Amino acid sequence: DGGITQSPKYLFRKEGQNVTLSCEQNLNHDAMYWYRQDPGQGLRLIYYSQIVNDFQKGDIAEGYSVSREKKESFPLTVTSAQKNPTAFYLCASSPTGSSPIQYFGAGTRLSVL
Amino acid sequence: KQEVTQIPAALSVPEGENLVLNCSFTDSAIYNLQWFRQDPGKGLTSLLLIQSSQREQTSGRLNASLDKSSGRSTLYIAASQPGDSATYLCAVPYQTGANNLFFGTGTRLTVIP
């Protein structure tokens, strides 16, 4: 089946620890995105990538890092510099070009121990 | 900076009722608007995408309209069903030619059997 797979579904982080959230897509999309969702709020863009080996910061990139070594994969690392990491993290992908629809994964819920 | 607002934040209706969800945006220079559905703890599913040149788009019992000049969009759901219970989010692109999205905070819909 084509789609976007995020793992793990739930993740716990200890203070001072870096954790990495996985996002894989088999839709052959060039663009991929990471969003953060806090309770009762909309999604906010963390990072996005329009092409392999290139990525750009979104509105709330501080404390996060990404890589895009392969077209199918766009992992997000939540570093120890992110002081309030508890949130629901959503990965998306889309074709490039005008007015593409974004397709979303099922999300990873990150909590701090 | 673009701001996207959705009112009401929550809505409960009896099954069978027709309803309207509202989305407003501050910068009318958009080239499309998307409506998404989010089930609790899940990712987003795209429902409708309206191009700036269109006034409305229909899919089954859903009809979305767009009025760029007034900075408003509505999502009309006909003959609501309990399975329609979810959070509905609207989103507009960051800027012309970009695929990144500004999201509203969503309307949580409950359809009561």
Side-chain angles (χ1 to χ4, degrees):
Chain A
D1 280 20
I4 300 177
T5 302
Q6 289 188 242
S7 62
K9 188 174 176 67
Y10 299 96
L11 186 59
F12 298 90
R13 192 191 89 166
K14 296 180 181 178
E15 194 169 337
Q17 185 182 42
N18 293 352
V19 293
T20 297
L21 284 61
S22 171
C23 178
E24 303 278 332
Q25 55 101 357
N26 61 5
L27 300 169
N28 200 34
H29 288 164
D30 285 314
M32 297 187 75
Y33 315 82
W34 274 106
Y35 294 92
R36 169 179 172 142
Q37 186 177 33
D38 292 282
Q41 298 190 30
L43 280 65
R44 292 182 290 167
L45 183 67
I46 306 173
Y47 268 99
Y48 65 100
S49 169
Q50 302 276 45
I51 196 169
V52 174
N53 292 323
D54 185 56
F55 48 83
Q56 306 294 329
K57 293 181 179 180
D59 287 335
I60 55 167
E62 187 175 348
Y64 300 96
S65 66
V66 293
S67 63
R68 186 84 188 277
E69 297 176 1
K70 298 186 300 181
K71 187 175 185 178
E72 312 81 59
S73 178
F74 191 39
L76 173 74
T77 296
V78 184
T79 74
S80 57
Q82 173 49 248
K83 298 306 179 187
N84 184 24
T86 298
F88 190 49
Y89 291 87
L90 288 158
C91 177
S93 72
S94 75
T96 49
S98 62
S99 302
I101 292 174
Q102 290 191 14
Y103 295 82
F104 282 79
T108 293
R109 187 165 300 281
L110 175 62
S111 302
V112 176
L113 290 176
Chain B
K1 182 180 175 180
Q2 180 74 270
E3 291 184 11
V4 182
T5 304
Q6 292 186 246
I7 295 173
L11 179 65
S12 291
V13 300
E15 181 177 0
E17 196 163 288
N18 303 328
L19 61 102
V20 175
L21 307 179
N22 298 295
C23 172
S24 61
F25 44 93
T26 54
D27 185 349
S28 62
I30 62 170
Y31 61 97
N32 68 55
L33 183 145
Q34 295 186 46
W35 281 93
F36 292 87
R37 169 187 172 133
Q38 184 177 30
D39 292 290
K42 300 290 178 61
L44 277 66
T45 301
S46 180
L47 296 173
L48 290 163
L49 183 150
I50 313 177
Q51 302 285 4
S52 60
S53 57
Q54 298 175 311
R55 289 196 63 85
E56 61 179 56
Q57 190 72 256
T58 299
S59 175
R61 294 182 293 107
L62 306 180
N63 177 277
S65 68
L66 176 62
D67 184 344
K68 279 185 57 177
S69 61
S70 67
R72 295 168 67 176
S73 175
T74 60
L75 179 66
Y76 174 83
I77 302 177
S80 58
Q81 303 171 357
D84 294 331
S85 298
T87 296
Y88 291 81
L89 299 106
C90 64
V92 296
Y94 267 48
Q95 59 192 23
T96 302
N99 300 329
N100 309 328
L101 299 175
F102 272 114
F103 281 85
T105 52
T107 294
R108 188 173 70 251
L109 173 67
T110 302
V111 180
I112 304 165

